[in-house]
């Protein structure tokens, strides 16, 4: 009678140990990243005196006095603000239209999957970055000096600045299109322009519409500031009231601007739902 002896199987380390170690390393990495971000925020806040609570406390009475002088709002000249409000609305619409019209062709040149050459891609991206880097307020000052006071410099400033942002979003939308329709159009013998028109553009039109509506909403808010540099609109009336320290009228204009912004926000939200 033979007896067979079996050696005990060696126990492999529990796989959960490596998973727990990896999880712990992930938490430590996240902790140090969050600590670094908080440290940067703390240093920046200290540098701009945001943590100087004594100065902040001394400013509270002045803010209270200013608020007291702003009440009640004075709507005596409300009818004089109708035309500047229309100017502001027209500036935002025209500026957004310029941005969208110019951004569509630039976006195809600035997208990696549709740009005809890497050099064209980098040049177009640089142009978009340059337009986006200059604030619309600075552009407004430049165009006021170039073409004079009125709504025109505001439209040009809003339009050029918006090209940089709208073109970037359009290009990113083009880069994320589904490649299958593009490949099918290429296989069918379509030209490059036909591929863009029939395979790429239908996929990105909803994103284009959404970005355009959002940008119009933003441009309406920005156009209220354009008036402060002489580019017309309701901002010009606001700046005039501030200069003569008519704070009750200032508060009334701010209420009117808030009402208009709320209406534009509601309309833009309704339009976005239509294009979904």
């Amino acid at each position: 009678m033979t007896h067979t002896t079996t050696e005990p199987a060696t126990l492999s380390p529990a796989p959960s140990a490596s998973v727990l170690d990896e999880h712990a390393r992930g938490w430590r990495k996240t902790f140090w990243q969050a600590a670094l971000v908080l440290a940067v925020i703390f240093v920046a806040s200290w540098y701009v005196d945001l943590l100087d609570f004594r100065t902040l406390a001394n400013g509270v009475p002045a803010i209270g006095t200013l608020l007291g002088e702003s009440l009640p709002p004075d709507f005596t000249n409300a009818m004089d603000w109708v035309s500047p409000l229309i100017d502001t609305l027209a500036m935002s619409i025209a500026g957004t239209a310029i941005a969208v019209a110019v951004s569509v062709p630039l976006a195809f040149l600035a997208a990696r999957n549709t740009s005809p050459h890497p050099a064209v891609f980098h040049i177009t991206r640089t142009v978009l970055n340059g337009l986006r880097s200059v604030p619309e307020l600075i552009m407004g000052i430049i165009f006021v000096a170039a073409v004079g006071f009125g709504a025109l410099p505001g439209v040009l400033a809003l339009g050029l600045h918006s090209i940089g942002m709208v073109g970037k979003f359009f290009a990113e939308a083009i880069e994320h299109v589904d490649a299958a329709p593009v490949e099918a159009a290429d296989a069918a013998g379509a030209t490059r322009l036909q591929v863009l028109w029939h395979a790429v553009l239908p996929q990105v039109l909803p994103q284009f519409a959404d970005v355009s509506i959002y940008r119009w909403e933003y441009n309406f808010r920005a156009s209220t500031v354009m008036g402060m540099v002489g580019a017309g609109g309701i901002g010009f009336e606001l700046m005039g009231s501030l200069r003569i320290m008519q704070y009750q009228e200032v508060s009334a204009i701010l209420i009117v601007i808030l009402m208009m912004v709320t209406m534009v926000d509601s309309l833009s939200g309704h339009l976005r739902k239509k294009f979904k």
Side-chain angles (χ1 to χ4, degrees), residues 31-50:
F31 171 79
W32 287 115
Q33 288 175 343
L36 179 61
V37 171
L38 290 176
V40 171
I41 294 174
F42 178 83
V43 172
S45 301
W46 169 80
Y47 185 78
V48 298
D49 292 333
L50 184 61

Side-chain angles (χ1 to χ4, degrees), residues 93-260:
I93 294 174
T96 306
I98 292 174
V100 172
V102 178
S103 295
V104 170
L106 289 180
F108 284 101
L109 299 177
R112 288 182 176 86
N113 54 338
T114 57
S115 185
H117 192 274
V120 176
F121 166 78
H122 289 294
I123 292 173
T124 310
R125 284 280 180 160
T126 302
V127 170
L128 294 178
N129 291 337
L131 293 174
R132 193 167 61 251
S133 64
V134 182
E136 62 267 14
L137 192 62
I138 303 301
M139 287 188 176
I141 295 174
I142 295 173
F143 283 117
V144 165
V147 301
F149 296 99
L152 179 59
V155 171
L156 296 176
L158 292 174
L160 283 183
H161 179 74
S162 296
I163 289 171
M165 188 62 69
V166 174
K168 175 179 181 292
F169 285 139
F170 282 6
E172 290 180 352
I174 294 171
E175 289 179 346
H176 290 86
V177 298
D178 186 5
V182 178
E183 294 172 356
D186 283 331
T191 64
R192 188 61 178 167
L193 184 59
Q194 289 173 331
V195 171
L196 297 179
W197 184 262
H198 295 287
V200 177
L201 192 59
Q203 295 189 60
V204 296
L205 274 179
Q207 292 93 328
F208 280 14
D210 190 61
V211 170
S212 301
I213 295 170
Y214 172 78
R215 192 64 194 184
W216 169 58
E217 178 185 323
Y218 171 86
N219 281 342
F220 179 81
R221 296 191 185 96
S223 61
T224 61
V225 183
M226 288 291 100
M228 296 186 177
V229 296
I234 191 65
F236 187 78
E237 300 293 329
L238 178 64
M239 196 63 189
S241 298
L242 280 171
R243 284 173 178 166
I244 60 176
M245 293 184 292
Q246 295 289 339
Y247 296 122
Q248 291 180 328
E249 191 169 88
V250 169
S251 64
I253 295 175
L254 289 176
I255 291 173
V256 171
I257 292 175
L258 175 61
M259 293 172 60
M260 286 294 298

Side-chain angles (χ1 to χ4, degrees), residues 85-95 155:
L85 279 173
I86 295 175
D87 291 344
T88 299
L89 183 62
M91 284 167 54
S92 65
I93 294 174
V155 171

Side-chain angles (χ1 to χ4, degrees), residues 6-67:
T6 58
E7 295 182 359
T10 58
L11 297 177
S12 60
S16 59
S18 60
V19 174
L20 291 175
D21 290 341
E22 185 178 353
H23 184 69
R25 286 194 297 269
W27 270 108
R28 285 194 295 269
K29 181 180 179 181
T30 303
F31 171 79
W32 287 115
Q33 288 175 343
L36 179 61
V37 171
L38 290 176
V40 171
I41 294 174
F42 178 83
V43 172
S45 301
W46 169 80
Y47 185 78
V48 298
D49 292 333
L50 184 61
L51 302 180
D52 188 354
F53 299 106
R54 179 178 297 179
T55 302
L56 293 174
N58 292 335
V60 171
I63 295 175
T65 301
L66 185 61
L67 289 175

